[in-house]
């Protein structure tokens, strides 16, 4: 069995954007993980959280 050398690390959209996310913003953040070298140091996950817990209306808006 392979043991991880680092904890599971990543970036979560909620911490920065709350419900104000878009495809463009998420792609920019993924690109930044690569450009800054964080991806090489174990930041391999991107968690997209759109604030679904509070519910959305029929148009998909909170």
């Amino acid at each position: 069995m392979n043991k991880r050398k680092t904890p599971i690390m990543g970036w979560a959209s909620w911490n920065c954007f709350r419900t104000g996310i878009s495809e463009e913003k998420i792609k920019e953040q993924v690109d930044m993980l690569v450009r800054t070298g964080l991806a090489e140091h174990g930041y391999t996950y991107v968690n997209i959280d759109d604030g679904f817990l509070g519910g959305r209306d029929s148009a998909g808006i909170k």
Side-chain angles (χ1 to χ4, degrees), residues 1-61:
M1 179 166 115
N2 284 337
K3 291 188 178 185
R4 294 184 58 87
K5 294 181 181 181
T6 62
I8 296 172
M9 298 187 294
W11 176 88
S13 64
W14 181 258
N15 298 331
C16 185
F17 299 117
R18 301 285 192 231
T19 59
I21 63 170
S22 67
E23 181 178 1
E24 181 180 336
K25 286 181 181 178
I26 299 301
K27 284 182 176 182
E28 287 173 359
Q29 302 311 306
V30 171
D31 289 343
M32 186 64 72
L33 284 176
V34 174
R35 271 197 312 274
T36 61
L38 288 172
E40 294 176 24
H41 294 284
Y43 282 79
T44 56
Y45 295 93
V46 174
N47 178 41
I48 302 170
D49 186 340
D50 70 346
F52 70 92
L53 185 62
R56 297 199 173 270
D57 64 18
S58 63
I61 299 171

